[in-house]
C-alpha cells in the first residue's frame, strides 16, 4: 500500500490523514446538526476511508 512518498515520510502522511479524519468527523457532526444527513454520510465515508488508509500506511512502514 505504501509507495513513494508514503515510504519516505510515513509519519507525515499518517499525521496528515489523522488530521483530515478529525476534520471530516467534525464536519460530519456539523452537517448532522443542521439536518444534512446525506452529506454527513458522504463525509463520514471519507473519514473512514482516511483512517483505513492511515492504518495501512502504518502497517506497511512502521513494522
Amino acid at each position: 500500500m505504501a509507495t513513494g512518498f508514503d515510504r519516505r515520510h510515513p509519519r507525515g502522511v499518517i499525521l496528515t490523514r489523522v488530521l483530515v479524519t478529525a476534520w471530516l468527523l467534525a464536519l460530519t457532526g456539523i452537517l448532522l446538526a443542521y439536518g444534512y444527513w446525506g452529506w454527513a454520510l458522504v463525509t463520514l465515508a471519507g473519514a473512514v476511508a482516511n483512517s483505513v488508509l492511515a492504518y495501512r500506511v502504518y502497517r506497511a512502514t512502521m513494522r
Side-chain angles (χ1 to χ4, degrees):
M1 178 70 200
T3 59
F5 190 79
D6 293 351
R7 284 210 187 274
R8 287 182 279 139
H9 307 285
R11 291 175 196 233
V13 171
I14 292 169
L15 177 64
T16 302
R17 290 203 179 274
V18 167
L19 291 175
V20 169
T21 299
W23 163 245
L24 287 173
L25 288 174
L27 185 60
T28 299
I30 293 168
L31 289 169
L32 285 172
Y34 283 101
Y36 294 105
W37 291 88
W39 286 110
L41 289 175
V42 171
T43 57
L44 183 62
V48 170
N50 262 305
S51 61
V52 167
L53 289 173
Y55 175 71
R56 291 188 66 173
V57 169
Y58 172 78
R59 279 196 44 187
T61 57
M62 297 299 194
R63 288 187 171 187

